[in-house]
Amino acid sequence: MSQVHHVGITVSDIDTSLEFYASLLAGERIGPMDRSGPRIDQVTGYPGVVVRQAFVRPPDGTAVVELLQYVGGSPVVLDPDNGHVGAAHVAITVHDLDAVLARLRTQGVEAVSDPIVCSEPMEGFRAVYVLDPDRIRVELLEPPGRS
């Protein structure tokens, strides 16, 4: 593997999630756009599905966040709690964790806890999980020496 290209997150409302991630990443919004047809049916395994797709490209880094809302896909809503097998999260590096967390809290974003200082192998990083609009955990990481 040479690099992570993107992180895909299935969401319930593309517009709400696009606003959240674009604000969090201070990133460029791409979309939303609707995808459908035989190729989308084939790749998703859901005949007749419409996938509302958007991307957020952060100003730094190469990986993007891909947001997908399946219209006509599965009716199952997963509980994204990190304690559940199969759950995943995205980790985002921030320059000032306290400022980002304060801004998010004024927007009604819930943090799972107060920030902690990590041990090995990420010794010195400060970290906290926040919940996106679908309660998916997003880890915010501040590198050592920033606070």
Side-chain angles (χ1 to χ4, degrees):
M1 181 171 80
S2 60
Q3 69 179 7
V4 173
H5 181 270
H6 70 271
V7 174
I9 303 171
T10 301
V11 300
S12 64
D13 182 297
I14 196 82
D15 297 316
T16 300
S17 293
L18 182 56
E19 177 63 32
F20 173 83
Y21 284 96
S23 174
L24 175 63
L25 297 169
E28 173 190 4
R29 299 168 192 232
I30 303 166
M33 55 212 111
D34 289 350
R35 307 282 191 200
S36 62
R39 290 180 320 120
I40 300 303
D41 294 352
Q42 181 179 0
V43 75
T44 64
Y46 289 103
V49 74
V50 174
V51 178
R52 302 209 65 221
Q53 180 184 43
F55 296 90
V56 178
R57 182 186 325 272
D60 300 326
T62 58
V64 298
V65 174
E66 177 188 30
L67 303 170
L68 302 161
Q69 179 184 346
Y70 284 69
V71 179
S74 173
V76 175
V77 176
L78 300 178
D79 181 349
D81 185 290
N82 277 3
H84 297 164
V85 173
H89 72 275
V90 61
I92 298 169
T93 303
V94 299
H95 297 292
D96 184 342
L97 180 59
D98 295 323
V100 170
L101 190 55
R103 178 175 54 82
L104 291 173
R105 284 180 168 151
T106 66
Q107 297 169 358
V109 174
E110 183 183 340
V112 173
S113 70
D114 288 326
I116 64 162
V117 177
C118 300
S119 58
E120 289 294 333
M122 295 175 45
E123 186 172 355
F125 275 83
R126 294 179 67 227
V128 67
Y129 284 111
V130 296
L131 302 177
D132 87 350
D134 289 300
R135 302 194 58 78
I136 296 168
R137 271 77 175 152
V138 178
E139 185 176 9
L140 305 178
L141 290 169
E142 180 185 86
R146 297 281 185 165
S147 57

